Amino acid sequence: MEGYDRNESPSGRSDAVDKSVFGAGLTTRHLEAFGRKVTSTATHLIGPASDSSIGEHYQNALTDIQRELRHPTVQRRIWALAQTTPTDLVRSKLSTSEIQSRALSSLPDELLQNIPEDTNTYSLFQGFQASLPETDHDHRKSHRRRSSKGSKLLTDADRDRALPSSISGLKEERERLNRRLEMMGIRKNMCSAEIREIDNKIANLNNMRKIVLDRLAGLEMDEAELEHRLVELDNKLEDMEEEQEELAAAQATPRSGAGSDQFLSSDDQAMDASFMSESIYQKLSPRSRKHRSTRKRSMPILHEHFEPGTAIKEIQAHNDLITALDFDVPFGTMVSAALDDTVRVWDLNSGRCLGFLEGHHASVRCLQVEDNIVATGSMDASIRLWDLSRAHFAPRDNRINKGGNEDEDNGLNYPNPEDAPPSPPTCSMEDCAVFSLEAHVDEVTALHFRGDTLISGSADKTLRQWDLEKGRCVQTLDVLWAAAQASTSLAAGTNAQWRPTGRLPDASADFVGALQCFDAALACGTADGIIRLWDLRSGQVHRSLVGHTGPITCLQFDDVHLVTGSLDRSIRIWDLRTGSIYDAFAYDKPITSMMFDSRRIACAAGENVVKIYDKTDGHHWDCGAGVSAEVEGTNPATVERVRIKDGYLVEGRKDGVIGVWAC
């Protein structure tokens, strides 16, 4: 130990500061001296026994080791070395940046097992070289060439004429072009790899989107089931409250009037019973039972995530031409009528028939669905109102055949619709009839109701206004008389706005083709091609819109525009503020049905597809089974009726099929 002290540097700083081993304060010199002593001790221990000084040397060696170990500095250093972990020993020899680099580059075995196979032909370094700009090296060479020639610059043609081409120069140029060609091949491979990666991502995203769409569809089906149960509970609560009110009223009625009934004769009692019977009283006023609201608490949004033109459902609804259809909300309740003299109620969510509305004696020509209220106009000259909230639903087990396919039981998948059995109703519609309106003398061809007011148009050339609270006709509008009055006044006036057309109504078309009302305003389209705007307060025509050359078959208006369709194969958009035509577009065949929502106008134009006009960008496109008919080898029937709400389109065809599409 004393020898170590004598070997200290002149500056007084020990080599332990500069040559510490493992960060424990032990220098290389200390270890060398300690090793020499251990070696000498071992030599004396295993040396020849003839050596007489072995005991002396052994004793001296142990004495030196003991003296060395007793030194406090050495003891502290050995203790520090014993307490140092292997990690600290490694860190003492590595810098901080190197430790961070190794920590970041370390990958667990789980990630190493899932490394995808590398399909790239080129290495990462080649890809890096290919990503460098091509012109940097060439620019540097050309810059050096220009600087060596001085201020005089030569073009490529001049240089080729002035300097003869050498073999080495041509080889260099060939290598340079080969290099560029190789780099272009690498770039092409990189682009192709990126495209494949993007395609894989798109496929994965499409799969994820499909999974989420299925989840959304399941949530909306569960939501519809819960809303149906809530409606049933609300109806039961209303029935119980009405029973309690009737019971309380019966208990509070005095019994003194009971004796006066004894003086009535039997004839008077029979007359009173016949007069106040429900069948006669029903024609005078509707039932006192109030309408129950089944407005959906939440609107379906599944169809909003489909691409426009996506088929949602197809139903073999009837065995003959669809004459009228309407629905309340997307995936809600739909009512359809056909020439097979049936009116069916459908659940658009499941595509199943819920029941039949029975009461008309002929086919229904027009209908409207508003919440749970349905109005139907028939060829038997009557109008009937129905309250779907009064339907009594059957248990769910009765609607599903547990041993087979439920669609086969519903009769919707038969190739020949006439061979299909009638769809079993899943609920009773007997109590849904509210009342019947009977005043027209010919078939009802158009109707529209809003609130407590219903307007109907008939082949008897009249329009009738009905009060739904009292169930009676409150006003009759004679269309022929109004047309004659307008022609007379326009012919007599000098500043007439519209000239008489002189056209006669088309006998093959409905005289009243379409109508719509809003408060006191009524728009009506007739067979003479004229749209008349009525004021229901005065019963007079406020304005006539002349432009169509054929019978009007459909119309709809909003706050600004009126859209009309006609058998003259045109759709016209009118500006209600000026009475002029805002826009018009023609088709190849007559227009039989039309409806628009906030974005699109959909119409049936005598083809196997629905014609769509996008009001936002003016784009025309087709939607329906006929779009892919040539590819699939099918021939769908002609579309007769179309309804669209919030991008949810329902079409009715001549063969009784109803198609549901995202639009």
Side-chain angles (χ1 to χ4, degrees), residues 293-323:
S293 176
T294 59
R295 182 181 296 275
K296 295 178 69 68
R297 293 172 172 82
S298 57
M299 297 298 293
I301 59 173
L302 179 63
H303 64 283
E304 298 177 1
H305 302 282
F306 291 138
E307 290 293 330
T310 302
I312 299 177
K313 200 178 299 293
E314 186 173 280
I315 306 171
Q316 181 64 55
H318 295 271
N319 299 332
D320 208 335
L321 182 145
I322 303 290
T323 57

Side-chain angles (χ1 to χ4, degrees), residues 165-175:
S165 300
S166 62
I167 296 177
S168 61
L170 292 177
K171 289 183 178 179
E172 183 180 357
E173 182 69 14
R174 184 184 64 181
E175 292 179 357

Side-chain angles (χ1 to χ4, degrees), residues 60-73:
N60 292 335
L62 291 179
T63 302
D64 293 340
I65 292 175
Q66 187 177 9
R67 185 186 301 113
E68 182 74 19
L69 294 176
R70 286 181 179 179
H71 197 280
T73 305

Side-chain angles (χ1 to χ4, degrees), residues 318-324 337-342 362-365 379:
H318 295 271
N319 299 332
D320 208 335
L321 182 145
I322 303 290
T323 57
L339 290 180
D340 57 6
D341 297 342
T342 61
S363 298
V364 169
R365 292 291 312 278
M379 297 175 68

